[in-house]
Amino acid sequence: MINLKQLLMVVSISYLIGNFSSAYILGKILRKVDIREHGSGNAGATNALRTFGKRIGALAFILDVTKGILATFVGYKLMGYNGSLLGGIFVVLGHNWPIFLNFKGGKGIATSLGVIFFLHWPTGIICILIGAFIIYKTRYVSLGSIVAAAITPIIGSIVNRPFNREFFLTTLFLAILAIFRHRANIERLAKGKEYKLGEKVE
């Protein structure tokens, strides 16, 4: 029997955790600017890296990963494994579409990574290594992020044994969200106009 009160708590707490936009907050505190008005206009770690530099970009990435871990932990404490899955989904939704920033958030890669780390860290390690290798070879952060997100359900199905249907469906949903949020990047990649790592975006 599903406890409606616990369900609502997991959904609301996880979504609110996702609303903590690291790139936006760091930009406001440390640079006195709204990151959504600079670079690609995205309130995420990659745009923080391009706009503010390595230190702030790295800090934003770490904080976004931490959000994913925290929300899945809260979900697990309140509702067990299924609660961690639910928390993982809603923290990414909160990051991508934060109500406090008029639903203009990030793309959810770092936060999704935190979710995967909590649910099954070996899958997270493999996917981040593959994504990092692609970024290293091509200098396209978006390409590495898209590929890493897309292969997560597949890698998880292979590594996380026995096969866990709920884990597969959750990672598949997160992968679809990530690809959807990167649709403009996909268009630029197809046209050869995507921004490379280290390239400033005005």
Side-chain angles (χ1 to χ4, degrees):
M1 180 71 68
I2 296 176
N3 186 311
L4 184 58
K5 181 179 179 181
Q6 289 180 332
L7 179 67
L8 291 175
M9 285 180 65
V10 171
V11 167
S12 58
I13 292 173
S14 299
Y15 179 78
L16 289 174
I17 291 173
N19 270 246
F20 182 87
S21 179
S22 307
Y24 173 83
I25 292 171
L26 291 172
K28 280 290 188 179
I29 293 175
L30 300 178
R31 296 296 177 85
K32 312 300 182 186
V33 298
D34 185 341
I35 191 172
R36 298 171 301 168
E37 298 174 356
H38 298 268
S40 64
N42 179 62
T46 300
N47 196 33
L49 172 65
R50 290 198 182 103
T51 305
F52 303 133
K54 294 179 181 179
R55 291 183 180 180
I56 295 179
L59 183 55
F61 179 82
I62 292 170
L63 289 174
D64 284 346
V65 170
T66 303
K67 286 194 312 190
I69 295 172
L70 178 60
T72 47
F73 174 77
V74 170
Y76 181 79
K77 284 297 183 180
L78 289 174
M79 291 183 64
Y81 184 71
N82 288 335
S84 65
L85 298 176
L86 193 63
I89 289 172
F90 275 88
V91 71
V92 175
L93 290 175
H95 174 83
N96 291 354
W97 294 282
I99 190 171
F100 297 116
L101 294 181
N102 297 318
F103 303 102
K104 293 177 63 177
K107 297 179 181 177
I109 294 298
T111 304
S112 294
L113 183 61
V115 172
I116 303 304
F117 275 155
F118 183 88
L119 295 176
H120 192 250
W121 65 265
T123 297
I125 292 294
I126 293 171
C127 292
I128 196 173
L129 287 175
I130 293 173
F133 177 76
I134 292 172
I135 293 170
Y136 173 75
K137 296 296 288 185
T138 67
R139 311 301 290 174
Y140 289 126
V141 175
S142 59
L143 181 60
S145 300
I146 293 165
V147 171
I151 65 173
T152 298
I154 301 170
I155 297 297
S157 297
I158 296 171
V159 178
N160 190 10
R161 308 303 297 177
F163 178 74
N164 185 320
R165 183 171 66 94
E166 289 75 19
F167 176 78
F168 172 78
L169 292 175
T170 299
T171 55
L172 179 62
F173 181 74
L174 294 180
I176 292 171
L177 279 183
I179 293 170
F180 174 76
R181 292 292 286 173
H182 280 84
R183 59 195 185 280
N185 301 87
I186 294 172
E187 290 180 8
R188 289 195 295 269
L189 284 166
K191 296 176 181 178
K193 297 181 179 180
E194 178 61 315
Y195 313 114
K196 290 192 174 185
L197 182 64
E199 182 180 351
K200 285 285 184 179
V201 183
E202 301 299 333

